[in-house]
Amino acid sequence: AASTLGTYERIWTPKLIDIGFANRILIVPGTAQRRIATPRRVSFEHIRELHVAVDRIMRQVDQRPEMAFSHEAEELYSDWYAGKELSVHARRLDTIALRLMVLLAANDSMDGIDKGTVKRVIEIADWQLNVRKQHDPIDADNKIAMMEQKIRRLLSAGPKTERVLKQ
């Protein structure tokens, strides 16, 4: 799904917070760019190649419903898990990381989870932690305090263009 940052900030009701909604999604910030007015039709050849690739991955997953860690991979993940930040922003990142390891290993046609897969997933989890912190909805007593906090957050992220500052 996709949303604007403004919509994302407004969805944080007590009900969504209580069910842990924030910890069940990955936030992927981005900006829209006008590149293609009318996309081209995808060729049947590309569609067939995609079907073949997905079928290969599904067969592999069916044959190996569980994936074992290599010793080095398990050690690396355990170290990351033991040292991960204990904050509201880090909740469920370990669970997401475990699921992502299996998906990446299956996508790479691997029989198990190796150290390289764990490294990639830890990078993604650490990045997600930083993104969650950066886009944490602002809790302020009034609209002026909220605006001040938004300005502080924007300016602390580094240099901005005039257009971004005006927004």
Side-chain angles (χ1 to χ4, degrees), residues 3-164:
S3 94
T4 64
L5 186 54
T7 300
Y8 174 77
E9 289 175 350
R10 286 191 301 275
I11 65 172
W12 298 107
T13 63
K15 188 175 184 178
L16 284 177
I17 293 168
D18 289 346
I19 64 167
F21 180 71
N23 305 315
R24 298 177 191 278
I25 60 174
L26 288 177
I27 304 167
V28 182
T31 57
Q33 297 174 354
R34 294 181 187 181
R35 296 183 310 184
I36 302 169
T38 54
R40 292 186 189 146
R41 174 172 240 145
V42 178
S43 73
F44 289 114
E45 178 62 29
H46 283 112
I47 293 171
R48 189 171 58 243
E49 288 173 8
L50 183 59
H51 277 278
V52 168
V54 170
D55 285 345
R56 177 190 52 81
I57 292 168
M58 294 305 295
R59 277 193 309 277
Q60 181 180 350
V61 170
D62 286 342
Q63 293 169 359
R64 288 179 211 86
E66 295 181 9
M67 284 194 174
F69 281 91
S70 71
H71 177 69
E72 297 85 11
E74 188 170 7
E75 229 175 62
L76 180 59
Y77 179 72
S78 293
D79 290 346
W80 174 80
Y81 179 84
K84 83 178 175 70
E85 181 178 309
L86 299 175
S87 73
V88 67
H89 303 294
R91 286 192 187 141
R92 294 186 60 86
L93 282 178
D94 54 324
T95 304
I96 291 170
L98 285 170
R99 292 176 180 163
L100 191 54
M101 281 183 235
V102 173
L103 292 172
L104 291 179
N107 188 60
D108 292 341
S109 299
M110 298 171 64
D111 293 330
I113 298 168
D114 68 356
K115 188 176 179 179
T117 301
V118 174
K119 280 183 178 180
R120 290 188 301 169
V121 168
I122 287 172
E123 285 179 27
I124 292 169
D126 289 345
W127 170 80
Q128 182 62 201
L129 176 63
N130 290 328
V131 170
R132 285 180 177 185
K133 287 178 181 179
Q134 181 181 356
H135 294 288
D136 183 29
I138 296 168
D139 186 23
D141 294 333
N142 59 48
K143 292 203 180 277
I144 293 173
M146 185 178 287
M147 181 59 72
E148 289 172 349
Q149 186 62 24
K150 284 182 178 181
I151 291 169
R152 266 192 219 97
R153 189 177 283 179
L154 180 73
L155 293 176
S156 69
K160 303 292 176 224
T161 65
E162 183 178 348
R163 179 179 179 270
V164 170

